[in-house]
Structure formats: C-alpha cells, structure tokens
Amino acid sequence: NPGASADPKGYRGAILRISPDGKSSERIATGIRSVYGMAFNDQGDLFFADNGGGGNPTEELNLLVPGKFYGHNPKKYAGGDTLTTKPALVLQTEVAPSGIVFNSAKNDFGGASDNLFVAYYGPGERWTRGSIARVKITRKDDGSYSYEEFPVADLPKLSDLAFGKDGGLYSAHHGIADYWYNTTEEKSGGFYKLVYDPSVKGKAKKDPQSKHVDLSAGSVAAGKLLFDIKACAACHAVDGQTELLGPNLKGIGAILNREELLHDIENPSERIKPSMGGVRVYTRDGKVVLGRVVTANEKELSLMLIGNKVVSIARKDIIKTEDEKKSLMFEKLLANMSKEEIESLLDYLGSLK
C-alpha cells in the first residue's frame, strides 16, 4: 500500500513462532502471501494454504520447513532463506483457499479419517462461488508425503471450517461484503453442517467453466492475435512472472468462466483489487502523475505508468495522493468487435489454464 508501515524485522510476509508468554518470537519462514489456514497433522508437521497472486502463480498447500522461502516478494527477502520452488500441492478445486482442518483418525466421515479438509472462498466478490475439498495426505517411509485432492461440496464464500464433536463438518459462509470483507448487508452469510450419508449418491462437482466450449486451435490463435492487436498484451502478461500495468493473466481460464471473463472486460471498474488500483500523485512542481503503485517506503513511491514505465517520486516532493476510482483499463474494449471476434478472444483467455 502507498502508506505501508515499516517492517524492520521482516515479519510481514513471514510465519512466526511465538512463545506461550508472548515475550519472544522467531521468524520461521518467509515469502508468504496470504495465509488464512494452518494445521498440524498427527505427526506434528505444520501445513498451510497460501493464496495465488503476486509471487504465487497458483493456489498452494505448503509443508512448513524452517528457514525456507516460499516465493512471494523475493525482493524483500533476497539473499536470505533458501528458495522453495514448488508448493507441496497445487490446489485446484477452487480459488482462494481459506480455513484448513485435519479430520481425526477416529472420525471415518466416509473413509476420510486423517484427511485434510480445505475451505475455498472463491474468486473476488463472486458470491455464488466457493467449495470444500479434501486432501488425502500419505506419509511415505522416507518421511515425505504424497497428495490427492478431491472435491466435496460446492458452497459459496467459505471462510473457515471445523469438525464438531458429533463428527460433522461445520463451515462458515462469509456474508456479502466489500473487498476488505466488511459486511455490506445486515443479514447475509451463515453456517453449514455437512454429514456423510452413504445412501446419497454423489454428484460430480460443477465445472467453474459453466458452459463447456470446445476450444479449437484456430479460434484460440485468432483470439491471441486479437489480444495483441487490441493492446491487451501491452498491459497484461500471460507468463505468470512479468509485471505490467495490469494483472498477469496466467491461469485466468482456470479461475473465471466465460461469462465472468466477459463481465470483467465489459466492466473493468466494477472490481479493482487494491494492488491494481490507480493512484493520482500531485507533486510540488505542478505535475500530476497517474499510475499504479509498485513499491512504497518512507522515502519514495514507485509508480508504473501507462506504457509500463516505472517512475520513482520522492515523498518530500509529493503534495497529496488520490486513489483513482475508475480502472486504468479502457472500458469500451469490445465496442467495435464482432461476436465472432469476442468469442475468439474469450477462447484464448479460457485456454490460459
């Protein structure tokens, strides 16, 4: 954030071990992006889920190894901890993993004793998305683990889950809120209790790609060409690494379905992540600079401007900053495109799994 506080001990983006009396702490691992859920298994190993985005190209389930770096914000921890290049498991049932919990060995729950259960919040403010998955984690003779993920249920916007003494799996459905999870409705959200009933035949989890589309090579190629011609590629990389003005779109086809992709293209200002919002900076020499904050500290702001040029502005030269209410993305991108061209563009974006 433009006003991010100092972090001299490198606690932000790290996992800490804190003594029971709260008087001492130790930084155990770094390179963490957004860990909501952590859980110990019966062997005493600590697992944690981390959200995709930034330095995390995928949704992650990680096994905590002291002294390891887990990929996010490498500039902050450069030359420090040893890099852990891959998560233990790339989570795929949904996006935005939240709470995780291990089932006990005594609770069969349909043959899922000892399994890890993962709640998913789902993407952004899409209030019908969210899921529960289970992960079968098998400890090998050499102490390493193997992993298998299985979908359990489609439930919207789950923030946490826990097993009750009755063996049921309880989950919390977050109510409709703004980006920072502050409630915007008086009565929304709730709790679910899941029980295993062997008499009920299971149903296949619905595909987030709500309409099955056979992506022909020709249509995908045409969509990629349009992606370049319409200057989408000028602001959006697709390699999962390059930082441009807009979000990197690697994997977007596995996160959003066609309808959601089309809606976001047509309404770019409706959902703007704070890290992708524009900032207008007024300087003492009369200039007004519009861009996205890339880095910020007590001495300067670095902004990426339209055209992907990064400029640094000393804080002493700044009169004020204002958040831009509208997206930096052109709002009428599809206005002069035919239906066939739009479908090809969506085919290309959908192919970015």
Side-chain angles (χ1 to χ4, degrees):
N1 299 324
S5 59
D7 186 24
K9 295 183 178 181
Y11 281 176
R12 190 168 55 243
I15 290 178
L16 310 180
R17 178 166 58 198
I18 302 172
S19 63
D21 61 10
K23 293 182 179 180
S24 63
S25 61
E26 179 185 1
R27 197 177 73 182
I28 297 296
T30 58
I32 310 303
R33 180 174 184 264
S34 180
V35 172
Y36 189 98
M38 309 173 75
F40 285 99
N41 66 2
D42 288 344
Q43 287 73 41
D45 288 326
L46 182 61
F47 291 84
F48 64 93
D50 203 356
N51 277 233
N56 295 347
T58 60
E59 314 294 340
E60 301 179 353
L61 177 67
N62 291 297
L63 173 63
L64 182 65
V65 179
K68 291 292 185 179
F69 173 76
Y70 284 85
H72 186 63
N73 204 354
K75 293 180 181 178
K76 179 174 181 177
Y77 297 103
D81 298 344
T82 303
L83 178 65
T84 297
T85 55
K86 294 182 179 179
L89 176 68
V90 174
L91 295 168
Q92 298 187 10
T93 296
E94 247 290 6
V95 299
S98 50
I100 66 175
V101 64
F102 276 99
N103 187 19
S104 74
K106 298 179 180 179
N107 184 29
D108 183 70
F109 203 69
S113 59
D114 284 329
N115 283 196
L116 178 72
F117 284 75
V118 181
Y120 288 92
Y121 188 80
E125 290 74 41
R126 301 187 187 279
W127 301 106
T128 60
R129 295 277 297 272
S131 287
I132 293 177
R134 68 179 176 91
V135 180
K136 183 179 179 181
I137 303 177
T138 304
R139 188 179 177 91
K140 302 177 183 178
D141 292 339
D142 62 1
S144 64
Y145 292 96
S146 62
Y147 305 85
E148 292 180 275
E149 182 179 7
F150 304 92
V152 173
D154 287 304
L155 292 172
K157 287 289 170 284
L158 297 184
S159 59
D160 213 347
L161 74 177
F163 279 97
K165 293 181 179 179
D166 58 0
L169 179 61
Y170 293 80
S171 60
H173 166 211
H174 196 290
I176 296 175
D178 61 19
Y179 183 83
W180 296 112
Y181 313 111
N182 300 306
T183 183
T184 58
E185 295 191 4
E186 185 177 351
K187 293 182 179 180
S188 65
F191 295 92
Y192 294 92
K193 176 184 177 181
L194 278 73
V195 296
Y196 178 73
D197 185 347
S199 69
V200 176
K201 294 290 184 181
K203 295 182 179 180
K205 180 188 178 298
K206 65 185 179 185
D207 188 343
Q209 294 285 355
S210 58
K211 286 185 178 179
H212 176 71
V213 178
D214 291 321
L215 303 179
S216 70
S219 182
V220 170
K224 184 179 186 305
L225 182 60
L226 284 165
F227 188 81
D228 294 332
I229 292 174
K230 293 295 181 178
C232 306
C235 293
H236 297 282
V238 297
D239 60 0
Q241 297 178 344
T242 305
E243 184 172 8
L244 300 179
L245 188 66
N248 196 300
L249 297 183
K250 181 177 182 179
I252 193 66
I255 297 172
L256 302 179
N257 62 39
R258 294 176 72 83
E259 294 80 6
E260 292 167 341
L261 285 167
L262 179 61
H263 183 88
D264 279 3
I265 295 171
E266 293 179 327
N267 304 276
S269 297
E270 188 172 308
R271 299 181 180 91
I272 305 175
K273 291 186 176 183
S275 61
M276 288 295 158
V279 174
R280 204 174 289 270
V281 179
Y282 297 81
T283 63
R284 298 190 184 281
D285 59 1
K287 294 180 180 179
V288 180
V289 184
L290 175 63
R292 175 174 68 82
V293 174
V294 179
T295 60
N297 56 44
E298 64 276 10
K299 292 184 179 181
E300 64 180 17
L301 288 181
S302 292
L303 278 82
M304 182 172 289
L305 311 183
I306 295 174
N308 304 307
K309 179 183 178 181
V310 177
V311 299
S312 296
I313 305 174
R315 287 194 182 271
K316 64 181 179 60
D317 296 330
I318 298 174
I319 298 174
K320 65 175 181 177
T321 62
E322 293 178 349
D323 291 337
E324 181 70 9
K325 302 301 182 184
K326 299 184 71 174
S327 171
L328 298 176
M329 178 175 164
F330 182 50
E331 291 191 341
K332 297 182 179 180
L333 180 70
L334 306 179
N336 297 318
M337 293 175 62
S338 67
K339 181 178 179 181
E340 290 75 17
E341 288 177 324
I342 293 173
E343 291 299 321
S344 291
L345 180 61
L346 292 175
D347 283 352
Y348 171 63
L349 295 173
S351 74
L352 302 174
K353 298 293 189 181

